[in-house]
Structure formats: C-alpha cells, structure tokens
Amino acid sequence: MQDKALQVASILREAGASVDMQGEVKRKVAQTFDYANRAGARMVALVAPDEWAKGMVRIKNLRVEDKEANQKDVPLADLPATWATLWPAA
C-alpha cells in the first residue's frame, strides 16, 4: 500500500496541501493517529486495502471529536476538491 499512499500524497501536494508521510506501515491505526498528532497534522488521509479496492481514500479530521462527523470516504478522483472543502488551505 506504500505505493498507493505515495500516489495519494502526490495528488494532495498538487492540490496545495502540505503532506507528511509516515515512514513505516504500522499495525494499528491508532499508531498512525499518534504519529499525525505528534507531527501537528490536522487531517489524515488513510489508504487502506478495502477502501482502495473501491477507489476510495478515507479522510479523517483530527480536530473534530464527533466520530460521525470527523471522517469521510472520498473517491480518489474527487480527493483534491474534497480536501479543499474539508480544510481550506490545508
């Protein structure tokens, strides 16, 4: 999935987002969120096998605590526009 994550990072960078990638794949998603929080990230784009097979990327806003409102599955083709609406100038 690392190659897919690089593809998503490239798309987001082209859309003007500041992107930092975790160097190694973690077994637990919570470890990824811990890394993102330590890095000061506001948003996380999760590239997971099930979502990728559907052509989707999961976007999670780390600053919204409501679990229903803080994440969204986004079609890869819509990622730049959706990212901009979720967090303008991110």
Side-chain angles (χ1 to χ4, degrees), residues 15-65:
S18 174
V19 178
D20 182 19
M21 284 189 57
Q22 189 171 351
E24 60 185 65
V25 177
K26 299 293 184 184
R27 291 181 151 213
K28 297 182 180 181
V29 174
Q31 293 173 315
T32 298
F33 295 141
D34 288 342
Y35 173 84
N37 279 321
R38 286 192 312 274
R42 298 174 285 189
M43 306 280 282
V44 174
L46 297 170
V47 181
D50 289 343
E51 285 80 10
W52 191 263
K54 298 174 192 170
M56 308 289 268
V57 174
R58 179 161 291 167
I59 303 298
K60 183 172 176 89
N61 186 329
L62 299 176
R63 304 296 179 242
V64 174
E65 294 195 24

